[in-house]
Structure formats: structure tokens, C-alpha cells
Amino acid sequence: MKDRTTTTTQPGDLELSIAIMPAPAVGERITNHSRDDGGGGDDDGGRKRDPNPKVLGAFAELAHTKRGLRQRHIQMIALAGTIGTGLFLATGRALASGGPLGVLLGYAVVGALVCAVVFSVAEMSALVPLSGGVVRHAEHFLDPALAFAQGWNSVYANAVLLPAEMAACAVIVDYWSHAVSHAVWIALLGGLLVLSNFLLVGVYGELEFVFALLKIALILGVNIMSICITAGAGPQGEVIGFKYWSDPGPFVQYLQIPGAWGRFVGFWRVLVSAAYAFSNVENLSVAGAETQNPRHNIPKAARRVFWRIMILYMATIFCIGLVVRSDDKALTARSGDAGASPFAIAAINAGIKAAPSIINAVVVTSAWSAGNSAMLVGTRTLYGLALEGHAPKFFVKTNRFGVPWISVSAVGSFMLLGFMTLSSGAAVVFGWFQDLVSAASLVHWINIELVYLRFYYGCQKQGISRDELPWKGPLQPYGAWLALVFFIVLLLTGGFYVFIDGQWSPQGFVSAYFNIPLIFILYFGYKLWRGTKLVPLEEMPIRDFLEMARREPEDLPPRPRGWRRLNVLWG
């Protein structure tokens, strides 16, 4: 297969390819034939052996999936594809909970550990670039039961994120007019989202490319505006400096709890908001089978995601703490509304009349874009589940554009949950969805690190140097272990606020902890039903995947020259 980028797909081709190369039954032990020759790649006669049928079956999809995501698409999706209401709106509540220093530290801690997650999944995806990401990796490196559990958990998490973003869009539109019902905006924006995902994946890539540029322009614009306001260049001419860091202070006494404990629990509450803001940033590899040169572009995006995301997020969070008081009542008065955007509040307080409308207009596109990314992740994960036999086979059916249209329809149906805002306050519903997504993201990150650590120690057991891999992430396995332990603790304690006197809320408790029993029910239920076992370290098909990588080298793009070398966004 010399040129996979020109492959076309016809309905039924994918199912045929899987039928030609059947995989072992789910739950059947995966055998790595390299054990017989000490882990090498040859058989007893010295001839190069073929990878086992399960690996061949998995890689068959690479020949029948449209590779419409180019380098600039995957780079910009990694940079800003998931930036939405988590950064532009939810940071208002985070600032009110933790104060300017608390929110800065909280986002820095979670952001750094999420980068460890990104490095882990990118290392595996460079070797195994299949649709579904870690769901497919868990099948080969840990336990088919975890592939089933995490796959459905990921579908659920992204399906829940869709109505959250659409509800946020509808509420933001209220900034200009209350004459049109939320139902109209949710139906219109949700319909456009589903339609875009029925088209070529290249259409999705182009949309996300444009929206990512708008997000970056907004981030740069609001940060420049914040610096100007801080320096006294606003209409009122007041020099703010670090005034709000001393009054009301760098931290907040959360729920009026006195002393250092009150400041610490405020900081801890920020971590949950940060988990929502960083949700899905690790999913740059979910559409691996639809990415051109995935072994080159996925690691490239992962290497850059640390600097890009940390700089964009940290600069923005720092500026928020400069221009808005943490005790400004507007931060919590309309959580999820346009007024809760700290930059809109700063512009209003500074007397800049046009800025709130501009900010909100771009935030609407950002929320829609984040929903679009969630739709891609959810549908491709469901598609990957079906390929592995963990979902009905009809989910692998593709349309003439090579898009799994039944998977798109199934995930898109969750958009109907957005109409809950018609009976309950939109801000309240948005808060429920935010906590649900945060918990699901923590579970996802935990599972990624579990799978990666099994993969890491599988390489050691089989005597495979990580230098043989297409790409190896930095600071491993220490970053993976640190992220794993931290996110487990945060998952168990993230809903602590509901146990404080007077703060009990059934909805808050369910939103914070629903995902814990869900993932255990999915995992142990499937494990008991199908009798699956952990894949032994020595039987992981790592050698087979290495052989597939050697057989199908990628045509790397030429090095940029001239002015193109200055393109730090997607070059």
C-alpha cells in the first residue's frame, strides 16, 4: 500500500475487510507468536513472520477509511479544537471559588498532568493509529473489558458534552435577545453540528481549522485588552496592576470557611473546573485512522500541545485574575450566561461597550466548535467499539463520504437533552453537565494511564526498547504514575462540597460521582459476561504492531523553508 491518502471507501467495504481477516473472539487470549523465538520478529525458519490476524484485522481499517485530516487540521485541533465554554465561561466560577492565585495554580497543575496524559496516548497512537484511540489500545494492552467500559464511558461523556455546549450557545445568544426560545437555537445549532459530521471528515477539519483561528484571535484579543485595562489604558483610566491580588486577596475563603483550610478547599474546587476546561484535549488521536501520516502528525501535535495549551491557558487565566475581582457578584450571578464570562465582566466594568458583544459572538462559535470536536470523538469511539465487537456491527456502516453515519446519528440524538433547559434554569443544567463531563474526563485520563503503564511494562517484559517505537514520550513512566495517582484522588474528592453543612444537593452528588459506579458496572459486567482476562505482559502484540509500522512507512512532508519555518501554529 504505497499511498493511503488516496484510498476511497464504498459502503460495505469496511465490513468486508473485517470479514476477510476475522479477529479472535472477544475474551479469547491474544497470542504473540514472538514468544517462541525470544521476542524476535522471525519464525523458526528465519523468515519474517506475518503479524497475527487480530492485528491485521485492526489495521485493515486504514485501507478503507478516508484520510481527510491533514497536518494543519490535526495540529490546530490539538491546539484549540477543545477550547470552549470551559475557558471562556467556566473560569468565572473558578475565579470566584479560588481567587486569582488559586485559579492560576489549579489550572497549571491540571494542565501539566493532562500533558502527561497526552504524551502517553500519543506514544501508543504513533504505534497503533486506529480510530477510537485508547479504546483500541486497551483491547490489546490491558483487557477487552476495559476497552468496552472506557469506550462506552467515552461515548457517554462526549454525548453529554454536546447538550452542554449547545445549551451554552443558546444562553449566550440571550445576551442580544430573549425573543427567541432556547429550543430554536438548540435545534438550529445542533442540526448544523450533526450535518457537518455527516460530511467528509475534511469538512470537519476545515471547520475546526477556522474556528481554532477565531479562538486564538479571541484569546490574544482579550489578553491584550486585559493588559491595557490593567495598565490604565481603558476608558476610565484607572491603573489596576495587581490590586485585586491584595484586595480581596490571592485566595478565596471558600463558603466562608475560615483559615488556610477554607483557602485550600477553594483551590481544590478549582481543579474540577480545570478538568472540564481541559476535557478532550487528549483526544487528538481518536481519529487516527482518518489522519494523514498519523505516526508523524500525532506525536508532533503532542509535542506542541504542552507549550501551546499551557501558554494559551495560563496567559488567559493570569489575565483574568488581574482584571476581575474574585468577589465580583457578576461571576456567579448568571453562571453559564454571557455575564459570567470574566472578560465580558472586565470590559463592562472598564466601560468598553462593544467588547462584550464581540467576545460573546466568538464564544458562541467556540462552544459550537467544542461540541463539534465532542461529536467526532464520540462517533469515532463508537465506531471503534463496533469494530472490536463491543457494539452492534451496524455502527461501522459508512456513507459515501467514508463517515460512520449511524454512529453520528446515535451520538447526535443526545442533543435532545439540551431541551432540559426549557424546564430548569439553563445555568443550573449547564452546571450539571459541567460536573458530569469533569468526572468522565477524570475517568478517561485514569484509564489512559492504566493502559499506558501496562504497555510500558509490556515493552520491558518483551525486551523491546522504547527507541524502537515510532515515538516515545518524555518523562515516562514517572509522568504517567503521577497523573494516575493525582486524578484518582481528584475523582474521589471532587464532589466534596456537597458534604459541607448546608450544601447538600442530590443533583450535585450524582453529577460528581455517577461516573464511578458506571465505569465499574461496565467493566465488571462485561468481564463476568464474556469471561475476559488481563492480557499478559509477554503476550501483548507489540512486536506485531512494530512489524506493521515497518511494512508501511509513511511519506513524510518536506521540511518547511523560508517564511514557512515561522509558522508555529500548524507548520
Side-chain angles (χ1 to χ4, degrees), residues 83-152:
I83 296 178
T85 54
L87 179 62
F88 297 126
L89 295 183
T91 45
R93 187 171 73 170
L95 178 62
S97 299
L101 182 56
V103 71
L104 183 65
L105 292 176
Y107 274 70
V109 169
V110 175
L113 293 175
V114 166
C115 286
V117 175
V118 171
F119 293 149
S120 297
V121 75
E123 182 173 322
M124 293 186 292
S125 296
L127 179 64
V128 191
L130 302 176
S131 289
V134 73
V135 176
R136 311 293 293 282
H137 305 151
E139 178 81 16
H140 299 287
F141 304 137
L142 202 151
D143 189 341
L146 185 64
F148 174 85
Q150 177 51 43
W152 283 106

Side-chain angles (χ1 to χ4, degrees), residues 405-429:
W405 64 274
I406 297 182
S407 296
V408 172
S409 301
V411 175
S413 65
F414 279 81
M415 210 88 65
L416 299 175
L417 293 176
F419 294 109
M420 291 170 58
T421 58
L422 303 180
S423 58
S424 300
V428 175
V429 174

Side-chain angles (χ1 to χ4, degrees), residues 283-524:
N283 284 328
L284 71 166
S285 63
V286 168
E290 295 170 271
T291 302
Q292 294 182 2
N293 296 330
R295 294 191 177 95
H296 172 74
N297 287 325
I298 290 176
K300 188 174 183 179
R303 286 193 300 268
R304 294 181 175 182
V305 77
F306 176 84
W307 299 109
R308 291 172 173 178
I309 297 300
M310 292 298 287
I311 290 174
L312 290 178
Y313 271 87
M314 291 305 102
T316 304
I317 297 299
F318 176 72
C319 288
I320 288 173
L322 292 179
V323 296
V324 183
R325 294 174 60 93
S326 59
D327 60 356
D328 194 316
K329 295 187 182 301
L331 290 173
T332 55
R334 296 179 292 169
S335 180
D337 198 351
S341 172
F343 291 113
I345 294 171
I348 293 172
N349 292 343
I352 306 175
K353 297 181 180 180
S357 293
I358 297 173
I359 292 171
N360 292 331
V362 181
V363 169
V364 169
T365 65
S366 299
W368 191 90
S369 169
N372 201 26
S373 295
M375 174 71 87
L376 179 82
V377 173
T379 56
R380 290 338 185 248
T381 302
L382 183 56
Y383 173 80
L385 283 169
L387 285 175
E388 294 289 353
H390 299 322
K393 279 297 182 184
F394 56 75
F395 284 120
V396 304
K397 290 184 179 295
T398 57
N399 61 18
R400 63 192 181 92
F401 300 122
V403 173
W405 64 274
I406 297 182
S407 296
V408 172
S409 301
V411 175
S413 65
F414 279 81
M415 210 88 65
L416 299 175
L417 293 176
F419 294 109
M420 291 170 58
T421 58
L422 303 180
S423 58
S424 300
V428 175
V429 174
F430 178 75
W432 295 345
F433 285 137
Q434 181 179 340
D435 288 341
L436 286 169
V437 172
S438 296
S441 296
L442 292 172
V443 171
H444 190 190
W445 297 337
I446 290 168
N447 287 336
I448 286 175
E449 296 300 20
L450 286 173
V451 175
Y452 174 78
L453 288 170
R454 288 282 298 177
F455 168 77
Y456 178 89
Y457 292 114
C459 289
Q460 285 192 339
K461 184 71 172 179
Q462 298 181 27
I464 299 173
S465 171
R466 291 175 67 228
D467 293 329
E468 298 181 49
L469 302 176
W471 183 74
K472 63 176 183 178
L475 303 177
Q476 298 292 21
Y478 311 107
W481 274 112
L482 183 61
L484 174 65
V485 173
F486 181 85
F487 288 138
I488 289 176
V489 173
L490 184 57
L491 177 65
L492 296 176
T493 60
F496 72 92
Y497 61 94
V498 301
F499 301 109
I500 299 175
D501 290 342
Q503 298 299 314
W504 171 255
S505 166
Q507 296 91 341
F509 176 79
V510 172
S511 298
Y513 293 111
F514 170 74
N515 223 144
I516 296 178
L518 175 64
I519 194 70
F520 280 116
I521 290 172
L522 289 171
Y523 177 74
F524 288 106

Side-chain angles (χ1 to χ4, degrees), residues 173-191:
V173 173
D174 275 349
Y175 180 82
W176 295 286
S177 174
H178 292 269
V180 181
S181 170
H182 287 175
V184 174
W185 295 114
I186 291 173
L188 177 61
L189 296 172

